[in-house]
Amino acid sequence: MEHGIIYPNVKMGKDSIVEPFALVGVVPHGKEDKAWNTLIGDNTVIRSHTVLYAGNKIGNNFQTGNKANIRELNTIADDVSIGTLSVIEHHVTIGKGVRIHTQVFIPEFTILEEECWIGPNVVITNAKYPRSPNVKNELKGAHIKVMAKIGANTTLLPGVTIGKYALVGAGSVVTKDVPDYAVVVGNPARQIKDVRELPYNY
């Protein structure tokens, strides 16, 4: 372990690195009276100025870019990478092999299944009516299925499902569910073809 600040009740696996100015296991403000355990697997690299809150369960080979912010109570599987300046809110589930690029926003109650790919500057939303009185009880993030790919600068509206192997083109605004294997583009996003028609191995 190198540098950084590792708070109490953090258990880190072997051969892990915490770079200078990173904070690992920060207890959320106002919740100091709760017992918080943070579990992080082997071969982790937490880069400089990352803030990783308490209560996360993270697998092996986890990496962050500089200044990533990861809130509490997430479940993150093996071989996950979270890019520079990305924000992961609480109660997010991230499957094995997920790649989250730079400056991505992942809100509460989002599910990212195995091997999905989230391009830079993607924004996922979870509040259909942001200032409604009951909004906190109705939050619903996106559900991105196995091997789906979300292009740069895309926005996903609350509660949409992106089917397995689907491809969302850069700059799209996704307002409804995307079928398995679909290629969608535009605002609002519409299907233009099937990924199995593309000239590469999906």
Side-chain angles (χ1 to χ4, degrees):
M1 231 92 69
E2 300 178 357
H3 312 298
I5 296 175
I6 301 173
Y7 285 72
N9 298 321
V10 174
K11 182 177 180 181
M12 295 197 68
K14 63 184 180 181
D15 300 320
S16 294
I17 295 171
V18 178
E19 291 186 354
F21 308 109
L23 305 176
V24 180
V26 178
V27 174
H29 178 69
K31 299 181 180 178
E32 292 82 1
D33 59 339
K34 182 178 178 181
W36 293 89
N37 294 314
T38 304
L39 305 176
I40 303 173
D42 299 340
N43 303 308
T44 289
V45 179
I46 297 178
R47 291 190 169 84
S48 183
H49 294 87
T50 290
V51 179
L52 176 62
Y53 280 78
N56 285 292
K57 296 180 180 179
I58 300 174
N60 298 323
N61 307 311
F62 176 68
Q63 291 197 44
T64 72
N66 298 319
K67 302 180 182 178
N69 189 299
I70 301 162
R71 292 290 304 275
E72 66 274 12
L73 300 173
N74 298 304
T75 301
I76 301 174
D78 295 342
D79 305 315
V80 170
S81 175
I82 297 175
T84 295
L85 291 170
S86 288
V87 175
I88 312 298
E89 293 286 359
H90 55 82
H91 294 91
V92 172
T93 301
I94 302 177
K96 182 177 180 180
V98 170
R99 176 71 171 98
I100 298 169
H101 284 259
T102 298
Q103 292 188 304
V104 172
F105 179 72
I106 310 287
E108 302 98 309
F109 311 115
T110 296
I111 299 171
L112 308 179
E113 292 189 7
E114 291 186 4
E115 302 289 341
C116 71
W117 186 96
I118 313 297
N121 298 301
V122 167
V123 174
I124 299 174
T125 62
N126 67 353
K128 188 172 183 180
Y129 304 109
R131 300 292 290 176
S132 64
N134 201 37
V135 64
K136 289 292 187 181
N137 297 319
E138 297 174 347
L139 298 175
K140 188 175 182 182
H143 184 166
I144 302 176
K145 293 192 174 181
V146 173
M147 291 290 290
K149 300 172 183 67
I150 313 299
N153 296 298
T154 290
T155 299
L156 305 183
L157 268 59
V160 298
T161 296
I162 309 299
K164 64 183 182 180
Y165 293 93
L167 173 61
V168 178
S172 297
V173 177
V174 180
T175 62
K176 60 184 180 180
D177 293 350
V178 173
D180 295 347
Y181 298 97
V183 179
V184 301
V185 298
N187 179 7
R190 66 194 187 286
Q191 184 170 353
I192 60 168
K193 60 177 65 179
D194 187 296
V195 295
R196 290 165 290 195
E197 301 169 359
L198 300 175
Y200 62 83
N201 184 356
Y202 61 87

